[in-house]
Amino acid sequence: SACVLLFAFLAAAGFLVDQAVKYIDPALEKRLFATPAKALLGEGSEREQKLQRTVDQLAACFDIDYPVRLSLVEAKELNAFAVPGGVIVVLSALADALQTDNGMAFVLAHELAHFKNRDHLRGLGRSLVLLAASVAVTGANSSLSSMLTPAASLEGAQFSQKRESAADAAALHALNCHAGNVTDATEFFTYLKAREPDRD
């Protein structure tokens, strides 16, 4: 069926993206994404500087030898993400929710793990492949696009779950390297569970 073929195509394309990412070293990445990365950087508030120091210390535990900048952005969502070009964006609501140094360090370590594993580039590449495939296969045919969406979502979910689990494991190791323990590593997840009891 069309869904099976699309799933197979996306899996193959994802593999090719993963291989291509290996040839994009951090220096090239910085050149390619310098302008959007710079636009994300803040004014270097005291709070941002404190988080930046934690990022720098954690980066040494990952043996990341290129600078990763921290940007604290005012927003109500609980989120942080790695951006191509070497920027970790932390939304203020998440920074406000975490009360312990280790809780925050784990989140930062998780994002650094994505940089180390080049997940941010893999995700971007897969999104571009999906967009191109959608346009090429469905064009303006919304009914066909709706039929193919489940296969794309399944492949994307499997990729995301695998990479997130790997980032969590790497973050635990980095946190132990940084702080000498992993106390409060699960603070973010505990907070989410208390806030949203029905969340899996």
Side-chain angles (χ1 to χ4, degrees), residues 4-196:
V4 173
L5 289 175
L6 179 62
F7 184 87
F9 167 78
L10 291 174
F15 173 78
L16 292 177
V17 167
D18 289 348
Q19 298 308 304
V21 163
K22 295 177 182 179
Y23 296 96
I24 304 177
D25 63 25
L28 175 58
E29 177 191 340
K30 278 192 168 295
R31 288 198 298 273
L32 291 174
F33 297 98
T35 300
K38 185 177 180 181
L40 289 169
L41 297 178
E43 299 297 322
S45 65
E46 183 176 340
R47 194 180 192 190
E48 254 186 354
Q49 291 176 32
K50 179 181 178 182
L51 292 175
Q52 181 67 60
R53 287 192 292 272
T54 302
V55 167
D56 294 341
Q57 292 162 8
L58 287 165
C61 293
F62 279 105
D63 193 28
I64 295 177
D65 59 359
Y66 58 94
V68 176
R69 299 290 303 277
L70 186 287
S71 179
L72 185 62
V73 176
E74 288 294 325
K76 295 181 179 180
E77 292 78 18
L78 294 164
N79 207 354
F81 42 91
V83 179
V87 179
I88 291 177
V89 174
V90 176
L91 303 187
S92 59
L94 175 58
D96 292 339
L98 299 178
Q99 300 300 308
T100 69
D101 289 341
N102 270 12
M104 189 73 246
F106 177 80
V107 169
L108 297 175
H110 177 97
E111 300 308 325
L112 280 168
H114 284 313
F115 276 116
K116 182 69 175 180
N117 297 329
R118 318 301 283 152
D119 294 333
H120 58 307
L121 294 180
R122 297 173 199 271
L124 177 61
R126 285 166 180 262
S127 294
L128 292 175
V129 167
L130 176 58
L131 177 61
S134 178
V135 171
V137 174
T138 69
N141 190 332
S142 59
S143 61
L144 181 56
S145 180
S146 298
M147 182 181 73
L148 297 178
T149 295
S153 298
L154 177 59
E155 198 280 334
Q158 289 178 341
F159 168 78
S160 179
Q161 184 177 32
K162 180 179 178 181
R163 304 317 302 175
E164 291 300 320
S165 295
D168 282 342
L172 281 174
H173 285 290
L175 180 60
N176 191 54
C177 163
H178 167 69
N181 64 77
V182 293
T183 305
D184 298 318
T186 60
E187 181 185 8
F188 174 62
F189 304 109
T190 301
Y191 177 86
L192 280 184
K193 188 65 177 177
R195 190 171 183 240
E196 305 173 33

